[in-house]
């Protein structure tokens, strides 16, 4: 998530200067005097300490700096070609489990006989066949919330997600930032689904061949492997008329950028597989329920399922003592008809006939709203005055004219202006926001940013503020 007062302006175009993570994105910063200034910054890293690239859009990148970034790119990614890294796996597989070593410091597979050159490194050994086929079971997760935010699905959630993909009748799955789905599909041939992993974590080069893993940045659709990687990507799309995309992006990532990527992939798939220009690429996108408005604003064909996605290494999103009280806050968003996507009864899901979809058992069907109204996993209650269902603990407040948490402060505006920080207005009404923008641009902004806030009734604001606090903690990695 970008800092206060910063907005995404454009998508990452190949015309933009590139950092180590491919083409940069144009952002816009609101300055103290109310004016704005645009700049290029990294598409993948949401903190400058992870990628230092910065350039004001009204300045040009000097030839020297351009060279420097090109050199940094080569130095970062071209040390050992993917094919070479993968070759080592064959040798390691031939060795006994006790002779197989993975160096977590250098991110390479080794044979026991090569240990001397890694004396001060951190090593993992022995390694079973299953571990080699499913490296996420032993690779230390990259939990930097501002870059990879690597949180791994529990075995149950992998099973449910694979089940959903199967329901759609996929012959091939594009796993964008979903290594555990790729591992499940590639190590279970009986599923008869091909899989291509596209992820920014290049450690997978040691475990999957260039035909099965592409080092990739989903926020600018950049393939680090150049034309060969692009050919692999297109051949996979061409071979799978029945393609499904599964993605579990970092929750702090920009949805506008991801939406653009998904549209690009869909268009590439239609062309590569010679499909109807209207053909819809089935998508399963994993994201928290409290960012539903943000998801739907950028990807209006997606609807939120009630399934609570569970993780192995996430203190807040997983079940257990540290988990959220009402189960995980993470859901699956899809453009597929919800009535065709059953959820497991043994995990407490049920079919709702009037809604024609599977919901969590705690999600009660409200006869007045004519819907199963819970979002967060608790049973909501209907408020006649508000004419909608609200969270169970909320009370209807006459002063505020809506339902609010019992401890709310009457008539204060909980969300301030993100342009100037004042609490008495939203950023769209900010007096400091005097600038000439083309009408198309301002309309776009209103739709993308404004809809999020204006779509939230005043009584929801407190709760939303809390959700955003949780999110801020998560993306700050606290
Ligand atoms: N739950 C998933 C993992 C999700 S964590 C599973 O178990 O398979 C987010 C994933 O997205 C990680 O694998 C991370 O490496 C990848 N990722 C993070 N930023 C990315 C980017 N900019 N481009 C592509 N992949 C990215
Ligand atoms: Zn970068
Ligand atoms: Zn219902
Ligand atoms: Zn209701
Ligand atoms: Zn009410």
């Amino acid at each position: 998530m970008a800092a206060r007062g910063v907005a995404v302006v454009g998508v990452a175009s190949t015309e933009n200067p590139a950092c180590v993570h491919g083409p940069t994105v144009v952002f816009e910063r609101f300055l103290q005097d109310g004016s704005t200034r645009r700049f290029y910054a990294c598409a993948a890293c949401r903190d400058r300490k992870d990628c230092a690239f910065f350039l004001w859009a009204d300045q040009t990148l000097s030839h020297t700096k351009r060279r420097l970034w090109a050199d940094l790119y080569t130095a970062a990614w071209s040390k050992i070609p993917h094919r070479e890294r993968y070759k080592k796996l064959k040798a390691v597989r031939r060795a006994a489990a006790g002779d197989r070593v993975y160096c977590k410091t250098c991110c390479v597979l080794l044979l026991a006989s090569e240990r001397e050159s890694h004396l001060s490194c951190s090593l993992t050994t022995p390694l079973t066949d299953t571990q080699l086929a499913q490296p996420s079971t032993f690779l230390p997760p990259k939990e930097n919330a501002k870059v990879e935010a690597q949180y791994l699905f529990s075995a149950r959630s992998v099973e449910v997600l694979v089940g959903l993909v199967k329901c759609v009748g996929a012959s091939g799955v594009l796993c964008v930032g979903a290594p555990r789905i790729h591992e499940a599909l590639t190590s279970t041939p009986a599923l008869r689904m091909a899989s291509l992993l596209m992820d920014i974590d290049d450690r997978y080069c040691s475990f999957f061949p260039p035909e099965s893993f592409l080092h990739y940045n989903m926020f600018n659709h950049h393939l680090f492997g150049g034309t060969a990687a692009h050919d692999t990507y297109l051949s996979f799309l061409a071979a799978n008329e029945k393609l499904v995309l599964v993605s579990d992006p970092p929750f702090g990532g920009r949805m506008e950028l991801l939406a653009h990527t998904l549209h690009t992939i869909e268009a590439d798939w239609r062309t590569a597989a010679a499909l109807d220009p209207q053909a819809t690429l089935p998508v399963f996108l994993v994201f928290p329920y409290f960012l539903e408005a943000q998801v739907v604003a950028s990807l209006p064909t997606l609807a939120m399922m009630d399934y609570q996605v569970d993780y192995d290494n996430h203190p807040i999103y997983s079940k257990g003592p540290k988990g959220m009280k009402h189960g995980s806050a993470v859901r699956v968003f899809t453009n597929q008809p919800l009535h065709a996507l059953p959820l497991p009864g043994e995990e407490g899901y049920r079919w709702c006939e009037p809604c024609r979809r599977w919901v969590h058992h705690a999600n009660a069907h409200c006869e007045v709203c004519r819907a199963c109204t819970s979002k967060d996993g608790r049973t909501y209650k209907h408020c006649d005055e508000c004419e909608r269902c609200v969270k169970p603990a909320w009370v209807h407040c006459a002063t505020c004219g809506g339902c609010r948490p019992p401890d709310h402060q009457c008539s204060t505006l909980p969300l301030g202006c993100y342009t100037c920080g004042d609490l008495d207005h939203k950023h769209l009404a900010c007096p400091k926001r005097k600038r000439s923008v083309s009408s198309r641009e301002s309309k776009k902004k209103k739709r993308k940013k404004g809809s999020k806030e204006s779509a939230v009734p005043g009584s929801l604001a407190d709760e939303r503020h809390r959700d955003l606090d949780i999110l801020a903690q998560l993306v700050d990695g606290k």
Side-chain angles (χ1 to χ4, degrees), residues 368-385:
V368 188
C369 295
R370 295 168 181 236
C372 288
T373 45
S374 171
K375 299 281 186 190
D376 71 1
R378 284 177 294 177
T379 308
Y380 283 21
K381 60 171 192 194
H382 191 84
C383 171
D384 289 324
E385 274 130 309

Side-chain angles (χ1 to χ4, degrees), residues 152-224:
L152 301 161
F153 296 133
S154 68
R156 260 318 276 153
S157 282
V158 169
E159 212 176 299
V160 170
L161 285 161
V162 167
L164 293 176
V165 166
K166 232 163 79 183
C167 261
V168 174
S171 68
V173 183
L174 208 54
C175 300
V176 180
R180 284 228 159 144
I181 303 300
H182 181 68
E183 292 174 354
L185 297 174
T186 50
S187 50
T188 324
L191 288 168
R192 299 168 64 85
M193 283 189 271
S195 176
L196 180 63
L197 174 63
M198 297 171 76
D199 198 288
I200 202 154
D201 184 355
D202 72 325
R203 292 176 306 177
Y204 288 102
C205 287
S206 298
F207 303 93
F208 297 107
E211 294 74 39
S212 166
F213 168 63
L214 299 173
H215 184 205
Y216 175 69
N217 183 351
M218 64 168 97
F219 295 111
N220 57 6
H221 190 58
H222 178 72
L223 286 159
F224 294 86

Side-chain angles (χ1 to χ4, degrees), residues 56 75 116 148 172 197 211 236 249 278 284 286 294 303 309 340 348-349 372 379 409 428-429 445 457 463:
W56 288 115
E116 308 88 81
E148 301 90 357
L197 174 63
E211 294 74 39
F236 188 79
Q278 306 303 321
F284 291 100
V286 178
Q294 193 178 315
V309 181
Y349 296 90
C372 288
T379 308
Q409 302 245 299
L428 287 173
K445 273 213 140 57
E463 198 83 16

Side-chain angles (χ1 to χ4, degrees), residues 350 352-357 359 363-366 370-373:
R350 63 171 180 93
C352 175
E353 180 56 35
C355 292
R356 296 193 48 75
R357 65 172 180 127
V359 293
N363 193 354
H365 187 85
C366 170
R370 295 168 181 236
C372 288
T373 45

Side-chain angles (χ1 to χ4, degrees), residues 203-258:
R203 292 176 306 177
Y204 288 102
C205 287
S206 298
F207 303 93
F208 297 107
E211 294 74 39
S212 166
F213 168 63
L214 299 173
H215 184 205
Y216 175 69
N217 183 351
M218 64 168 97
F219 295 111
N220 57 6
H221 190 58
H222 178 72
L223 286 159
F224 294 86
T227 29
H230 201 253
D231 289 347
T232 303
Y233 157 76
L234 288 182
S235 324
F236 188 79
L237 301 185
N240 290 287
E241 194 175 319
K242 293 205 175 301
L243 185 73
V244 170
L245 186 146
V246 177
S247 184
D248 184 8
F251 302 149
R254 292 293 194 153
M255 196 44 74
E256 307 92 307
L257 300 177
L258 194 61

